[in-house]
Amino acid sequence: MNLAILPVLLLVAFLLIVAIGLILLGRIFGPHRAGAVKEMPYESGMDPIHDARRRFDIRFHLVAIAFLVFDVELLFLYPWAVASKSPAGVDQAVVSGLVVGRELVFAGVLFFILLLVLGLIYDWRKGLFRWR
Amino acid sequence: MTIEHVTVEALIKIVILASGVLAGAAWLVLVERWMAAWIQMRRGPNRVGIPWTNIRLFGLGQPVADGLKFIFKEEFDPAHVSRGIYTLAPIIMLVAALGVFAVVPFGSMIPSLGHWMGTEPIDLMIAPGIDVGIIYVFALSSLAVYGVILGGWASNNKYSLLGGLRSSAQLIAYELPLGLGILGVVLATGSLRLDAIIHAQATTGWWFVFTQPLGFVVFVVAAFAEAGRLPFDLPECEQELVEGYHTEYSGMKLMLFLTAEFIHMMTASVLIAILFLGGWHVWGMTPPEQEIGWGEAILRVAVLFIKTFGVVLFFMLVRWTWPRFRYDQLMALGWKVMIPLGILNLVAVAVLGEISRDQYGMPWGSLVASWGLLMASWLAVAWVAPATTDNRPETTD
């Protein structure tokens, strides 16, 4: 087992115990009084007309999809960002003959960013970011 | 290092960190209320001191009283919620908010404590072996979206659902500029580790706020939005959505939500201090030598904490001086201004880094270029979207 990840697992376990423990603490020490009005959803004093889970604006879905695309594209840029400066990265690959030259890698990344920009412009022209 | 060593060391750090952050959040709430009182020219909380005496201690007992009150208030699940998800959402929020601190260095190192712990200096970081630091931070902080959307959905309340949807759209929109701001820093450092990022700034003496001012602006704005603070507090929106996704929450679960939100702000402050303000580095005070004694170690911790506290105060000052954005303004700022500026910053940092690759530190040419870029993009934004009195949502585009 890799020991590097162990502290993170311990932290998450500890935090789960703390969070659940706090909720239980409130359960144990707090009062318990139910009531018909208390059980209703809060809508500023109005009686709720129907269930809250109805159709909502498609735009939230479109924005989420646009986010997924851009976020994954950004994640692809992280390895390059590390490799372009780190001594064991692009320079080492050039020395050992894995890539032809540093300029080629850089040009490739710029082309990738250009694709990202084109995607953004397309979404913009399609009116995805227009809320009213 | 055996498994026992790692476990014991990690557990000690975890307990210190978790209690420190939670207590810090509690008393920073008090600081925020004092700040609010100062700005609104009233007194603020100054009563609660030691119980059964007349000692008031400037209200320093207020967080303890608030915590006790949360414990003794009713922990109520209304009948119309989905119980499982409803309980899960605040737990996810708190775990994600505090879990981020696993890779955040608090200062740099302290000397070894004794023979049992070995002779290596101890990293002031819970998981020093994690090399993907900033990606881990990014991954965990985006889990907060799940807490928000699950809480909003499970509450089965129209305000909560709308608040949850709005909030998740806002959080994911501003995660892109956040990532773009970080990418510039990673590009200039060549490492994802937060301590390596501090070290890079300390060795050159150029904090990234000076060398990448545009990236700093983009990152700070995105961090405000991610933390859900004014002027980006649309998830909460007391006047319109009645606290949004936690309308239906009460008691301890509400406290978990509120604490997690406050911790998001503290995380954002620590990250701003580490990524752009040099972490524990101050010129002439904390030189970046490898060998450190106790004095140096404590000084570094103190410097990082002072910087973080300064950023927290800035967050609070902004909260009490700025009005809230409208939703279309928020989305337009995120997608149409911050993301293009972030991409611009990334390309500029990459090109400048590629040109001046052989020089050590920051040459003056690229410094002038990056500040010129900030000014140019500011002017461009002001020219494309000038301030008007009629700022109704645009109907054509």
Side-chain angles (χ1 to χ4, degrees):
Chain A
M1 184 186 166
N2 186 4
L3 284 181
I5 198 72
L6 182 65
V8 176
L9 298 179
L10 284 172
L11 177 67
V12 170
F14 179 83
L15 293 177
L16 278 177
I17 293 171
V18 167
I20 296 171
L22 281 174
I23 292 180
L24 286 180
L25 211 64
R27 281 247 172 249
I28 294 168
F29 288 103
H32 298 280
R33 284 186 291 269
V37 176
K38 211 167 164 181
E39 300 280 4
M40 281 190 338
Y42 175 77
E43 285 189 10
S44 308
M46 313 287 280
D47 281 354
I49 296 177
H50 49 66
D51 197 81
R53 291 163 189 161
R54 314 236 327 167
R55 290 186 288 179
F56 54 81
D57 197 341
I58 185 73
R59 222 182 297 264
F60 288 109
H61 182 71
L62 294 178
V63 162
I65 289 185
F67 161 74
L68 275 184
V69 174
F70 288 125
D71 205 36
V72 173
E73 283 184 23
L74 279 191
L75 275 183
F76 280 131
L77 287 174
Y78 275 93
W80 160 71
V82 174
S84 85
K85 182 91 177 187
S86 145
V90 175
D91 291 335
Q92 183 62 39
V94 171
V95 169
S96 53
L98 283 171
V99 289
V100 178
R102 197 182 161 83
E103 295 76 19
L104 192 67
V105 176
F106 192 63
V109 166
L110 281 187
F111 182 69
F112 187 75
I113 295 176
L114 179 69
L115 287 184
L116 207 155
V117 172
L118 287 180
L120 188 71
I121 291 173
Y122 176 77
D123 283 349
W124 194 331
R125 298 283 296 171
K126 276 286 177 186
L128 186 59
F129 311 137
R130 192 169 61 217
W131 295 69
R132 53 169 180 261
Chain B
M1 290 289 265
T2 61
I3 193 162
E4 289 85 15
H5 279 91
V6 177
T7 312
V8 170
E9 194 184 322
L11 278 179
I12 293 171
K13 287 179 194 167
I14 287 170
V15 171
I16 293 174
L17 172 108
S19 46
V21 172
L22 286 173
W27 268 276
L28 280 178
V29 170
L30 184 66
V31 172
E32 172 149 36
R33 292 176 64 182
W34 280 341
M35 173 84 88
W38 171 60
I39 287 177
Q40 299 173 338
M41 293 176 80
R42 54 187 172 83
R43 286 187 186 275
N46 62 354
R47 296 249 168 180
V48 187
I50 302 169
W52 298 295
T53 60
N54 274 334
I55 305 168
R56 283 184 176 175
L57 285 178
F58 320 105
L60 280 172
Q62 187 73 40
V64 181
D66 286 344
L68 284 175
K69 202 176 75 180
F70 268 117
I71 292 178
F72 291 105
K73 288 292 173 187
E74 181 167 6
E75 169 67 45
F76 181 68
D77 293 352
H80 53 90
V81 303
S82 315
R83 283 285 291 272
I85 302 176
Y86 179 80
T87 316
L88 189 63
I91 296 177
I92 290 180
M93 281 289 269
L94 190 81
V95 172
L98 266 171
V100 169
F101 285 95
V103 294
V104 174
F106 289 89
S108 67
M109 291 183 173
I110 54 172
S112 176
L113 286 175
H115 63 280
W116 191 82
M117 299 298 288
T119 50
E120 295 280 305
I122 299 170
D123 260 307
L124 287 178
M125 176 163 39
I126 288 179
I130 301 282
D131 279 337
V132 292
I134 198 73
I135 297 217
Y136 171 85
V137 171
F138 215 49
L140 265 195
S141 58
S142 48
L143 276 185
V145 180
Y146 286 97
V148 168
I149 192 82
L150 288 180
W153 178 263
S155 292
N156 198 0
N157 175 322
K158 294 184 192 82
Y159 290 132
S160 301
L161 185 64
L162 285 175
L165 281 172
R166 271 187 178 195
S167 176
S168 49
Q170 168 184 338
L171 291 181
I172 62 179
Y174 280 86
E175 215 162 279
L176 299 173
L178 199 72
L180 286 166
I182 292 172
L183 257 175
V185 171
V186 173
L187 199 57
T189 312
S191 173
L192 294 168
R193 295 179 61 98
L194 288 170
D195 48 356
I197 290 172
I198 299 179
H199 211 80
Q201 299 176 72
T203 43
T204 60
W206 284 104
W207 299 354
F208 288 133
V209 64
F210 302 121
T211 60
Q212 304 179 11
L214 185 59
F216 176 71
V217 170
V218 169
F219 184 83
V220 169
V221 171
F224 267 84
E226 285 290 307
R229 301 280 300 183
L230 268 165
F232 299 100
D233 77 331
L234 284 106
E236 316 258 308
C237 241
E238 297 92 334
Q239 294 89 350
E240 301 160 36
L241 287 175
V242 205
E243 297 293 336
Y245 58 90
H246 49 68
T247 304
E248 293 288 324
Y249 281 90
S250 62
M252 261 314 176
K253 294 200 194 89
L254 179 67
M255 196 208 72
L256 291 188
F257 266 129
L258 298 179
T259 316
E261 263 171 22
F262 208 82
I263 291 174
H264 280 152
M265 186 192 79
M266 292 163 71
T267 317
S269 310
V270 174
L271 283 182
I272 290 170
I274 286 177
L275 292 175
F276 287 98
L277 301 179
W280 42 255
H281 175 254
V282 175
W283 307 277
M285 251 178 83
T286 48
E289 282 132 22
Q290 287 298 330
E291 203 66 37
I292 54 169
W294 277 104
E296 180 75 0
I298 293 171
L299 196 61
R300 287 182 180 185
V301 175
V303 167
L304 181 60
F305 271 67
I306 289 170
K307 283 182 185 173
T308 309
F309 188 66
V311 181
V312 168
L313 285 185
F314 175 66
F315 264 87
M316 293 173 179
L317 207 58
V318 169
R319 171 174 174 181
W320 293 104
T321 42
W322 275 63
R324 184 183 299 135
F325 283 128
R326 213 171 48 211
Y327 200 70
D328 62 301
Q329 294 172 330
L330 173 97
M331 291 314 254
L333 180 67
W335 289 97
K336 297 181 183 174
V337 178
M338 282 304 152
I339 291 178
L341 287 186
I343 294 175
L344 191 65
N345 175 63
L346 175 65
V347 172
V349 170
V351 169
L352 288 177
E354 208 70 10
I355 291 171
S356 62
R357 202 161 60 85
D358 302 325
Q359 285 152 304
Y360 192 67
M362 195 70 192
W364 292 99
S366 2
L367 196 68
V368 172
S370 47
W371 279 89
L373 189 70
L374 176 70
M375 292 301 156
S377 44
W378 182 14
L379 290 177
V381 171
W383 183 63
V384 172
T388 51
T389 47
D390 179 13
N391 62 354
R392 282 172 291 181
E394 46 188 319
T395 48
T396 56
D397 201 25

